[in-house]
Amino acid sequence: MQEPEFSARGVEINRWLRSLTRAGEVRIEDGRLALLTSYGSEIDSAPVTAVRAGRPWFAGPDEAVATVNGTRYRLTLHKNGRDGGTADPGEPRDPEKSEESGRFLAALKRAAGRR
């Protein structure tokens, strides 16, 4: 069995104001993007060529927005799972935190054959 092209656990998945899971998984495998709950149940999935994703100006450095099957999801990807609330909100944002959402967007483009 081959490894997924991208996999991130501990992802907070929201359908805008409604939280679907606080510890889900985003997976790109065999040309499909899958959003999963912490129990492994599928929230939504689609071929990567049909998914639109990006990082809007209003999103934090560890957030991305993905449109899957016409539904917009806000994904909060943490570098090593959830930060456990240890980050101080008064601290300046760490540029390392944007690495995971950037990896997700790059993997999605690679899987879709876009450059």
Side-chain angles (χ1 to χ4, degrees):
M1 187 173 202
Q2 72 180 30
E3 288 287 314
E5 296 166 46
F6 177 84
S7 180
R9 293 177 183 251
V11 178
E12 187 173 338
I13 302 173
N14 296 310
R15 190 178 298 145
W16 289 114
L17 296 177
R18 181 174 173 226
S19 175
L20 300 176
T21 183
R22 294 180 65 185
E25 182 177 0
V26 174
R27 178 174 266 218
I28 299 173
E29 187 172 25
D30 297 328
R32 291 188 68 80
L33 169 74
L35 305 177
L36 307 169
T37 66
S38 56
Y39 297 109
S41 300
E42 187 175 288
I43 296 170
D44 208 345
S45 72
V48 292
T49 55
V51 175
R52 289 185 331 174
R55 194 177 310 145
W57 64 270
F58 57 83
D62 57 348
E63 294 179 348
V65 175
T67 303
V68 181
N69 294 325
T71 305
R72 295 178 79 186
Y73 297 96
R74 189 178 73 217
L75 310 172
T76 305
L77 299 110
H78 303 284
K79 182 155 173 74
N80 293 318
R82 294 189 52 78
D83 64 1
T86 58
D88 180 16
E91 278 184 36
R93 291 199 184 259
D94 185 5
E96 281 287 311
K97 289 196 174 188
S98 65
E99 180 179 309
E100 197 68 13
S101 60
R103 273 187 352 105
F104 163 68
L105 295 172
L108 190 64
K109 285 182 182 180
R110 264 194 322 273
R114 295 180 235 145
R115 299 198 191 265

